């Protein structure tokens, strides 16, 4: 992969992640419950662990805590998009490499 491509992808990721990293969550209104919009498997796992082993203490704390659930979802989507891009790139180069190999074999056979 060319250095320019790596630099462009790095810039895209940084321009997406850095503003979200420095954003803070909006202040909650007094007495209002936090909405459970993005509850998922992590939250259910924490509840299950609390039920099974109430005295359990985590081994470590997260290095980065997103300011809100929306930012966490965006970062997850970015991770999925990068993974899909890597898989698509690999698949495209594999198909092209095979096509070039076949064409080279056919041209040598003639």
């Amino acid at each position: 992969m060319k250095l320019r491509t790596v630099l462009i992808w790095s810039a895209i990721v940084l321009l997406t992640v850095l503003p979200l990293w420095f954003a803070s969550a909006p202040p909650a209104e007094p007495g209002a419950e936090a909405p459970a919009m993005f509850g998922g498997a992590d939250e259910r796992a924490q509840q299950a662990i609390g039920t099974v082993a109430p005295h359990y203490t985590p081994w470590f704390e997260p290095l980065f805590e997103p300011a809100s659930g929306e930012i966490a979802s965006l970062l997850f989507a970015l991770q999925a998009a990068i993974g899909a891009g890597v898989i698509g790139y690999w698949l495209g180069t594999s198909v092209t490499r095979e096509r070039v190999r076949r064409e080279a074999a056919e041209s040598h056979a003639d």
Side-chain angles (χ1 to χ4, degrees), residues 48-80:
I49 290 170
T51 303
V52 173
H55 300 294
Y56 173 80
T57 56
W59 294 358
F60 56 87
E61 295 294 321
L63 297 175
F64 168 66
E65 188 71 33
S68 69
E70 290 86 358
I71 293 174
S73 294
L74 176 71
L75 294 175
F76 182 75
L78 177 65
Q79 178 184 357

Side-chain angles (χ1 to χ4, degrees), residues 39-52:
D42 292 342
E43 188 175 315
R44 289 183 182 170
Q46 287 176 348
Q47 291 172 354
I49 290 170
T51 303
V52 173

